[in-house]
Amino acid sequence: HDHHDTFHRFPLHMVHGIPLMEPIVQQWGPIEDFQARPDDLLIATYPKAGTTWMQEIVDLILVRGDVEKAHRAPTHIRMPFLEICPTPPMPSGVQQLVDVPSPRVIKTHLPFQLVPKSFWENRCKVIYVARNAKDNVVSYYFFDQMNKTQPEPGPWELYLRKFMEEKLAWGSWYDHVCRYWDERTNHNILYVFYEDMKEDPAREIRRVMDFLEVELPPEVLEKIVWQTSFQVMKENPMANYSSVPSTILDQDVSPFMRKGEVGNWKNYFTVAQSEVFDAHYQRRMEGSSLHFRTQI
Ligand code: A3P
């Protein structure tokens, strides 16, 4: 077995009713037992909701706008991915995190109920980023084409159906966004919308600063807005995942920094697909006080 064999499209298996990549399921024990520290910061999202964007914002806030420092390593090294399986030579997320000095910033896509209990027991701060379902599923569709560890996405029509049937990796988008929304007042959760970040990045970055209790002068905030813009991040090798081998993330198929827009879904949903999706969405989200914008 050479490394190329190690990375194949993993099937999904269930953990407490949530479909996850097989190697994640195989090492579920250490993930469930993960020991959070009180000063850990967790960035939680459904896949493709703007995780990397928020990670870059948080890191730049914590280094007080020092761009050199933010360039010290790629995103996934600076802020390890909790549930990621070992991808040789990289150890698993849990193993990586043992050696990270406090305060740690940790990424997860786990739905609320699968987040290790120690995060809640320690009252850790959590930043949740949510993105409207239509842009989220389009982004995920392109990602599953280029990410060679995720199941084959197949044709768009079927992929969209799988999303609606809540069968994609990390499970139901609907439950994911709603549960964190409902829990935000019970825990130390800052809930941020991708669409709000696009509309007024400075305003949303200020919310994150307040949450992290970091004060920065206006010119540093401006610098962070610029450094975390789509155009700059797309060209930043420490933020655009170009350091990950193309055997895992094939950016010739689709770049990780793909479009970064609100409303890009309109290029992929047919009118009929949009109508069916909206009707199902209304039924599925009925009674929730959570509202998204699909354009700004
Ligand atoms: P698109 O595929 O719609 O372009 P995640 O980091 O959770 O995997 O999310 C990736 C999505 O966030 C991609 O969406 C990516 O382009 C977008 N993104 C990353 N950085 C961004 C930025 N600075 N501004 C806007 N969107 C960004």
Side-chain angles (χ1 to χ4, degrees):
H1 280 267
D2 67 12
H3 281 176
H4 292 263
D5 291 340
T6 319
F7 308 116
H8 58 269
R9 291 182 174 276
F10 298 113
L12 302 180
H13 287 277
M14 292 292 192
V15 172
H16 302 297
I18 302 296
L20 294 170
M21 283 189 276
E22 186 177 44
I24 296 178
V25 176
Q26 284 164 349
Q27 41 130 37
W28 187 249
I31 297 169
E32 198 158 38
D33 296 339
F34 179 77
Q35 284 309 305
R37 305 173 192 157
D39 56 0
D40 283 344
L41 171 69
L42 189 65
I43 298 177
T45 56
Y46 191 76
K48 311 319 288 176
T51 328
T52 316
W53 189 8
M54 182 55 78
Q55 286 178 281
E56 199 61 23
I57 288 171
V58 164
D59 195 38
L60 275 161
I61 291 173
L62 295 180
V63 299
R64 311 186 77 83
D66 185 333
V67 175
E68 292 296 305
K69 272 192 193 159
H71 285 175
R72 69 195 178 280
T75 311
H76 61 283
I77 308 282
R78 284 181 280 159
M79 295 158 276
F81 185 5
L82 176 65
E83 65 268 28
I84 199 67
C85 40
T87 44
M90 291 271 292
S92 73
V94 171
Q95 286 167 322
Q96 289 171 53
L97 281 160
V98 171
D99 298 324
V100 176
S102 293
R104 302 181 294 191
V105 181
I106 304 171
K107 159 188 165 178
T108 189
H109 291 318
L110 293 174
F112 179 87
Q113 70 276 18
L114 293 195
V115 170
K117 293 280 172 293
S118 60
F119 282 100
W120 311 122
E121 288 161 3
N122 282 295
R123 289 209 50 83
C124 295
K125 287 183 183 176
V126 178
I127 300 177
Y128 187 79
V129 186
R131 186 180 194 182
N132 80 79
K134 285 170 151 178
D135 282 323
N136 204 142
V137 63
V138 167
S139 183
Y140 208 175
Y141 175 60
F142 283 96
F143 183 66
D144 279 354
Q145 294 177 48
M146 63 88 79
N147 183 337
K148 302 302 181 185
T149 67
Q150 289 266 97
E152 198 66 69
W156 163 243
E157 175 88 30
L158 293 180
Y159 191 84
L160 182 58
R161 196 181 304 162
K162 267 190 258 172
F163 178 91
M164 293 166 68
E165 291 171 350
E166 312 174 23
K167 288 180 178 157
L168 298 180
W170 283 280
S172 167
W173 174 91
Y174 308 88
D175 286 343
H176 210 287
V177 296
C178 287
R179 185 73 194 276
Y180 278 97
W181 177 254
D182 293 341
E183 297 284 355
R184 74 194 188 288
T185 48
N186 301 330
H187 300 278
N188 218 349
I189 299 174
L190 179 73
Y191 203 99
V192 183
F193 293 94
Y194 181 99
E195 294 74 24
D196 291 349
M197 292 166 70
K198 280 300 286 192
E199 181 180 66
D200 191 343
R203 181 190 64 207
E204 297 309 308
I205 293 170
R206 232 178 278 116
R207 282 183 72 210
V208 176
M209 281 165 47
D210 288 347
F211 184 65
L212 299 179
E213 297 160 281
V214 175
E215 280 178 42
L216 297 171
E219 62 274 16
V220 175
L221 172 60
E222 272 316 302
K223 190 172 165 191
I224 295 176
V225 169
W226 170 244
Q227 290 297 329
T228 59
S229 66
F230 182 77
Q231 48 183 327
V232 171
M233 280 182 62
K234 190 177 170 71
E235 303 304 327
N236 176 0
M238 294 303 165
N240 65 14
Y241 280 100
S242 56
S243 60
V244 174
S246 59
T247 45
I248 306 179
L249 298 181
D250 188 347
Q251 305 223 22
D252 290 337
V253 171
S254 179
F256 186 90
M257 296 289 165
R258 192 185 58 91
K259 281 281 177 215
E261 290 172 355
V262 178
N264 182 250
W265 63 269
K266 289 173 192 170
N267 299 316
Y268 301 98
F269 279 70
T270 65
V271 171
Q273 283 168 349
S274 184
E275 282 172 2
V276 170
F277 189 88
D278 289 348
H280 168 264
Y281 185 94
Q282 270 202 329
R283 286 197 305 277
R284 188 61 184 74
M285 299 289 279
E286 207 175 336
S288 175
S289 58
L290 177 57
H291 296 291
F292 285 92
R293 292 183 289 169
T294 53
Q295 53 186 28
I296 53 172

